[in-house]
Amino acid sequence: MKIIAIHAHHVCIPYDMGAPRQEFAGLKFATMDHLLIQVETDAGITGWGEGFGHTIIPATKAALECYVAPWFIGKDPTDIAALHREAAQHFHLFGGNGPVVYAHSGVDIALWDIAGKRAGLPLSQLLGGARRTEVRAYASLLRYGAPETVARICAERTAAGFKHIKLHEHSVAAVMAARDGAGPDIAIINDVNCPWTVAEALEMERAYRPACLFWLEEPVFPPEDHRGLARVRREGQTRISAGENAGGLHDFADSFEKGAVDIAQPSVTKIGGITQMRKIIALAEAHSVELIPHCAYFGPGNLASIHIVASLPTDTLLENLYANLEASPFGDAMTATGGKVSVPQGPGLGVEPDMRIVEKYRQGAVVSIP
């Protein structure tokens, strides 16, 4: 079998988050953007992947078109592990994180989709077997800022059946409002996206304690400061998570060895795809670190994450980003009902995109290599 073509689809879909959009990561997201990567083979089997992501998609798409996709053309997609290593060695000149790795991640996910389709098995079966047919999800909210809005949205997500809610808030008032809105029995998480020095992070961890956070996510800048993060974990009283910004296996190894995290959060569209994710899962297990994947997207990366969570030995959580899309190429496959998401049972990722929706929301013409 040979890879004969790779197509890139940049899809931008309007969404609703239940309140006016606020600045998030320095930007206001007008749409939820996806980079869908379609890999065709001479056997007539097509795989779908997703490269990170959001407003960096033009850079990821350029990396895919200029270098990553041409390298894969003509390669045999069936030996995924060997092909992943060979590709990573060829791509390493461009760094261990960023658009080249994001593009490689998307192709890797597509290769696993192809493998599942060849075998006639869901991806979760290829990853060791699905231990559950549905996975528990936590509602991952965008940033709202206003405490009264945070309280309202948390109450709504609780009423929808979620037992875990993640915030992206900085103020103590907003975090306490979440606790008021969700009630005492709901696990509240806060992802602050790397804003503080170690001293500031320790101060904020103390200030958040009355809210009884389930975990505090990425409180230290830069995210590579594993020693500083370990100090926050050691001196604080709240569990610490990180990993969505990690640059692959060895970045996680350093984090684990320094005792920086209670919870590891690799992102399948950022760290090299499913092949690299499997290595990080094994490494986390060897270090007795809980693993809960980062999953702030709506394409094949989300589908892959569902299968990954279903295959883990522990009954862990799936991130479910609260942004109601105007339309989804994958229908309701990622929709949580009663706080749970069903594991697709079709071969590979288990769901094919609706190309009518892809074409409606695609930015520009499809780009094909070769």
Side-chain angles (χ1 to χ4, degrees):
M1 185 185 292
K2 301 293 182 185
I3 297 171
I4 58 172
I6 297 177
H7 313 289
H9 307 266
H10 181 185
V11 179
C12 301
I13 302 178
Y15 68 97
D16 169 64
M17 55 180 278
R21 297 182 183 92
Q22 303 297 312
E23 186 176 280
F24 185 77
L27 298 165
K28 285 187 178 180
F29 292 93
T31 56
M32 284 293 165
D33 297 0
H34 314 61
L35 181 62
L36 306 182
I37 298 175
Q38 180 183 8
V39 177
E40 292 189 4
T41 68
D42 60 1
I45 301 174
T46 296
W48 288 90
E50 181 177 5
F52 194 79
H54 305 309
T55 54
I56 199 66
I57 281 177
T60 303
K61 185 168 175 280
L64 180 75
E65 295 167 4
C66 296
Y67 186 56
V68 175
W71 186 89
F72 276 99
I73 298 299
K75 300 292 195 302
D76 181 350
T78 60
D79 191 351
I80 299 175
L83 190 58
H84 188 284
R85 179 177 177 84
E86 185 182 356
Q89 286 181 314
H90 277 82
F91 301 159
H92 84 277
L93 181 65
F94 302 101
N97 206 341
V100 170
V101 179
Y102 303 163
H104 184 190
S105 300
V107 173
D108 184 83
I109 293 168
L111 297 187
W112 280 91
D113 188 29
I114 290 169
K117 290 170 178 173
R118 288 181 65 234
L121 294 171
L123 175 59
S124 54
Q125 293 294 333
L126 298 187
L127 299 178
R131 290 170 166 83
R132 49 203 70 89
T133 58
E134 57 183 12
V135 297
R136 296 182 299 136
Y138 68 85
S140 184
L141 312 184
L142 296 174
R143 184 166 296 156
Y144 294 93
E148 60 275 15
T149 304
V150 174
R152 174 175 61 82
I153 298 295
C154 286
E156 291 174 0
R157 293 297 87 202
T158 299
F162 288 96
K163 304 300 184 184
H164 302 75
I165 298 174
K166 182 159 84 173
L167 315 174
H168 289 84
E169 303 293 339
H170 286 178
S171 76
V172 175
V175 173
M176 293 308 301
R179 172 56 67 204
D180 292 340
D185 299 326
I186 301 300
I188 298 295
I189 301 155
N190 196 20
D191 178 1
V192 292
N193 298 114
C194 308
W196 301 313
T197 65
V198 171
E200 290 168 339
L202 283 166
E203 180 181 354
M204 292 305 298
E205 186 275 335
R206 287 191 293 271
Y208 290 147
R209 286 180 193 173
C212 300
L213 293 179
F214 195 58
W215 76 68
L216 177 61
E217 188 168 331
E218 291 198 318
V220 171
F221 183 82
E224 297 82 9
D225 184 6
H226 299 152
R227 186 173 286 104
L229 194 61
R231 182 183 163 198
V232 175
R233 178 177 178 243
R234 184 174 62 251
E235 296 182 17
Q237 297 180 6
T238 307
R239 294 196 303 165
I240 299 297
S241 72
E244 70 174 90
N245 291 300
L249 179 70
H250 295 287
D251 208 1
F252 279 100
D254 184 70
S255 172
F256 297 164
E257 289 164 7
K258 287 185 169 66
V261 295
D262 296 280
I263 300 162
Q265 297 175 291
S267 181
V268 73
T269 68
K270 297 179 76 173
I271 48 83
I274 295 168
T275 302
Q276 191 78 333
M277 176 71 82
R278 295 178 76 203
K279 297 177 183 179
I280 296 167
I281 290 169
L283 184 70
E285 185 175 356
H287 284 81
S288 299
V289 175
E290 186 176 359
L291 187 140
I292 302 176
H294 171 261
C295 182
Y297 22 76
F298 296 89
N302 189 303
L303 295 171
S305 297
I306 294 170
H307 285 283
I308 289 164
V309 170
S311 70
L312 291 174
T314 56
D315 183 14
T316 191
L317 295 163
L318 173 78
E319 183 171 15
N320 190 262
L321 194 63
Y322 179 53
N324 299 312
L325 301 183
E326 183 175 278
S328 171
F330 297 91
D332 61 358
M334 305 164 203
T335 301
T337 302
K340 295 182 179 180
V341 175
S342 295
V343 181
Q345 297 302 304
L349 294 174
V351 185
E352 294 294 292
D354 184 334
M355 294 307 297
R356 295 170 300 176
I357 295 177
V358 172
E359 290 163 6
K360 178 178 178 179
Y361 293 99
R362 185 170 56 218
Q363 303 300 294
V366 62
V367 175
S368 302
I369 307 297

